Amino acid sequence: MNKLAKKIAVVIGGNGGIGGAISTRFAAEGAVTYATSRALAETAPDVAPETGGGRIIPVYADAGRLSDLTQVFSRIREEQGQIDVLVLNAGISEFSMLGSISEDLFDRTFGLNVKALLFAAQGAIELMSAGGTIVLVGSIADTLGTKGYGVYSASKAAVRSFTRTWANELAPKGIRVNVVSPGPTDTAMMADVSDEIRDSLTRLIPLGRLGRPEEVAAAALFLASDESSFTTGAELCVDGGAAQV
């Protein structure tokens, strides 16, 4: 416990699902955790985790709006003066086969999964110093060819590429950058897919089940903490072996 004691963490897309699990785990490990979401009311109260010395501060923000991101980082600058851990989790996934992909679907997916992550990182590094860590939430889709998810997979391949480049660029500042890539995980996003797709994905997992958000959060904690102090530019897959064997 307390692997993030006295740390200031920001989780972009930190309410519900994987992001919510990460926010809760970080707070339980001692971090003051700003969890952004466009689903939160601006007047939402601070939420204390069940254990640990940290807390969750819900922040209303649409990660796809650069003005919202600017306001988030301005608030943190005023209240905390620094960011120690940044998690970039906001993202969407929509099914569409080649031949029926709309411009709007492409713009939505790349706007949130790629553009928002880029500008969130760019805004946060001004508040980060040596010892800081950035954890991107990718997907094993970055290397797979799942039918109907070409746009989503391409966006996650961009996330993997960002990880390598930013790790190289930020190493002189002492900031580490890594990506945790879940496989199929039992979240609301997965609940939206058809039973046929859900079953087909589960059959591809050697461990025979979907992942849990808490398992991804544990991996994110490792990458965010000093436990991974000599790890940067890496991809940590939490997929039950789906893309590994």
Side-chain angles (χ1 to χ4, degrees):
M1 302 299 288
N2 294 324
K3 291 181 179 179
L4 298 179
K6 300 181 180 180
K7 301 289 187 181
I8 307 301
V10 180
V11 182
I12 303 296
N15 179 55
I18 289 172
I22 291 172
S23 297
T24 298
R25 184 62 189 274
F26 280 15
E29 294 288 344
V32 175
T33 304
Y34 288 78
T36 79
S37 173
R38 59 185 175 184
L40 296 173
E42 293 187 64
T43 55
D46 291 4
V47 179
E50 295 180 1
T51 59
R55 60 191 175 115
I56 299 173
I57 302 175
V59 179
Y60 173 82
D62 182 343
R65 294 169 57 97
L66 302 189
S67 59
D68 282 14
L69 293 174
T70 297
Q71 290 178 3
V72 169
F73 296 127
S74 294
R75 173 178 173 178
I76 296 170
R77 182 188 299 276
E78 181 177 327
E79 294 180 357
Q80 306 293 343
Q82 68 183 53
I83 294 172
D84 300 299
V85 179
L86 173 68
V87 177
L88 301 171
N89 174 65
I92 57 172
S93 173
E94 298 181 49
F95 178 90
S96 188
M97 298 283 285
L98 184 63
S100 61
I101 297 169
S102 68
E103 182 179 6
D104 185 54
L105 182 147
F106 179 89
D107 289 344
R108 282 197 308 274
T109 303
F110 269 75
L112 188 58
N113 294 11
V114 181
K115 179 181 177 181
L117 267 64
L118 166 62
F119 286 99
Q122 191 161 274
I125 59 173
E126 296 180 0
L127 295 171
M128 301 184 78
S129 57
T133 60
I134 298 175
V135 179
L136 294 87
V137 178
S139 169
I140 62 169
D142 62 6
T143 59
L144 300 180
T146 305
K147 293 180 180 179
Y149 289 95
V151 176
Y152 173 74
S153 297
S155 73
K156 291 302 183 178
V159 171
R160 179 65 182 104
S161 181
F162 277 158
T163 303
R164 290 189 172 99
T165 304
W166 297 349
N168 202 17
E169 292 179 349
L170 297 178
K173 294 185 63 175
I175 297 172
R176 296 186 297 107
V177 185
N178 295 287
V179 58
V180 57
S181 291
T185 305
D186 198 6
T187 65
M189 183 182 292
M190 181 57 64
D192 290 337
V193 306
S194 68
D195 289 341
E196 180 182 0
I197 293 175
R198 185 185 180 97
D199 291 343
S200 67
L201 290 173
T202 302
R203 286 195 296 270
L204 296 174
I205 302 172
L207 291 185
R209 64 171 176 83
L210 299 179
R212 298 188 296 271
E214 294 77 13
E215 293 172 315
V216 182
L221 173 63
F222 168 72
L223 294 175
S225 73
D226 289 341
E227 295 292 318
S228 61
S229 58
F230 198 54
T231 302
T232 194
E235 180 177 24
L236 176 53
C237 295
V238 184
D239 66 350
Q244 315 308 315
V245 299

